[in-house]
């Protein structure tokens, strides 16, 4: 599984309310580029990064991301998924939370999207996924390209899936493929927060209930 870390985080002195940003180990932003990953016209796509909970930063509140290229007006949704068997592969991923539909902002270095409620993930080391999904416009010349970090060595933390001529289904990531574009990671960086002890218990119970419901529907 790819290593992940938090920008500027230490395990010492963590207190409720502290927050840090998850990034892929050894990755480094290179700025907007006229390249990336996109679906074909009229099709859907999801791009996710795999992370592991660090210390007590177990609750995700928002995500920052980067678009490599935007042509026209395109909207997207951010999502958080659990990893039930903890293997870092999203085939069995369960959708836990989504953001409101947001417009992709052209020319923005990093775009931040908030989730309506904080999403508890689990204890230190717990694998999870955060990403975005959208449907390409059928209009010519309208495309949305997921941004990419600097090249990584021997790490494949990013996954993508496409739906041909249909919208994406974020509740079904079975069949997603590792993104191996020169071993780069998608620019998807969730914010982890140290929750209050009582809140952590409530978040955990709610997440468990949602996971059980999702499995029953399959």
């Amino acid at each position: 599984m790819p290593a992940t870390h938090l920008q500027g985080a230490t395990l010492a002195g963590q207190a409720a309310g502290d927050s840090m940003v998850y990034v892929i180990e050894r990755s480094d932003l290179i700025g907007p580029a006229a390249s990336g990953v996109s679906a074909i016209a009229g099709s859907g796509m999801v791009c996710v990064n795999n992370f592991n909970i660090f210390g007590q930063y177990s609750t995700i509140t928002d995500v920052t991301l980067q678009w490599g290229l935007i042509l026209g007006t395109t909207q997207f949704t951010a999502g958080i998924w659990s990893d039930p068997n903890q293997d870092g592969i999203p085939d069995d991923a369960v959708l836990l939370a989504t953001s409101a539909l947001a417009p992709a902002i052209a020319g923005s270095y990093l775009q931040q999207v908030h989730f309506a409620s904080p999403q508890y993930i689990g204890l230190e080391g717990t694998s999870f996924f955060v990403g975005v999904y959208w449907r390409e416009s059928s209009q010519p010349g309208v495309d949305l390209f997921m941004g990419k970090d600097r090249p990584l060595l021997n790490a494949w933390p990013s996954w993508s899936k496409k739906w041909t001529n249909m919208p994406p289904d974020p509740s079904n990531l079975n069949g997603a493929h590792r993104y191996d574009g020169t071993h780069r990671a998608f620019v998807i960086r969730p914010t982890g927060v140290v929750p209050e002890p009582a809140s952590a218990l409530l978040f955990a119970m709610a997440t468990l209930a949602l996971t059980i419901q999702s499995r029953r529907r399959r």
Side-chain angles (χ1 to χ4, degrees):
M1 296 173 64
T4 58
H5 70 283
L6 292 168
Q7 290 182 328
T10 65
L11 288 174
Q14 295 180 60
D18 284 352
S19 65
M20 290 291 175
V21 177
Y22 280 88
V23 298
I24 300 297
E25 192 74 37
R26 300 184 304 279
S27 65
D28 185 22
L29 285 172
I30 57 176
S35 65
V37 183
S38 69
I40 61 175
S43 298
M45 186 167 188
V46 62
C47 293
V48 301
N49 277 355
N50 177 222
F51 298 96
N52 300 96
I53 290 298
F54 181 91
Q56 298 177 49
Y57 297 98
S58 57
T59 300
I60 304 303
T61 58
D62 56 70
V63 59
T64 53
L65 49 102
Q66 182 189 57
W67 301 109
L69 177 68
I70 302 174
L71 300 174
T73 302
T74 307
Q75 295 183 313
F76 69 95
T77 304
I80 304 172
W81 292 261
S82 67
D83 184 8
N85 64 0
Q86 294 294 291
D87 64 353
I89 301 173
D91 278 357
D92 60 342
V94 176
L95 184 64
L96 300 176
T98 60
S99 72
L101 192 65
I105 301 176
S108 176
Y109 186 63
L110 283 175
Q111 181 175 355
Q112 187 175 44
V113 179
H114 296 278
F115 296 100
S117 300
Q119 178 61 55
Y120 177 79
I121 303 298
L123 300 177
E124 182 172 13
T126 300
S127 171
F128 67 104
F129 304 92
V130 175
V132 295
Y133 57 93
W134 72 94
R135 186 175 188 178
E136 289 283 357
S137 171
S138 58
Q139 301 174 9
V142 178
D143 291 288
L144 183 60
F145 295 81
M146 188 73 248
K148 300 180 293 185
D149 268 333
R150 284 188 185 276
L152 305 175
L153 298 176
N154 302 317
W156 295 270
S158 299
W159 296 77
S160 66
K161 181 177 179 178
K162 297 181 181 181
W163 288 261
T164 304
N165 297 321
M166 64 179 64
D169 180 2
S171 64
N172 179 13
L173 302 191
N174 184 40
H177 296 279
R178 278 192 173 115
Y179 176 65
D180 194 19
T182 63
H183 302 292
R184 288 188 175 189
F186 296 136
V187 184
I188 300 171
R189 299 181 167 191
T191 299
V193 174
V194 179
E196 296 282 354
S199 297
L201 177 60
L202 291 175
F203 289 150
M205 293 175 63
T207 299
L208 177 61
L210 182 59
T211 300
I212 292 174
Q213 277 187 335
S214 299
R215 288 177 175 174
R216 286 176 177 173
R217 290 172 183 166
R218 292 188 171 186

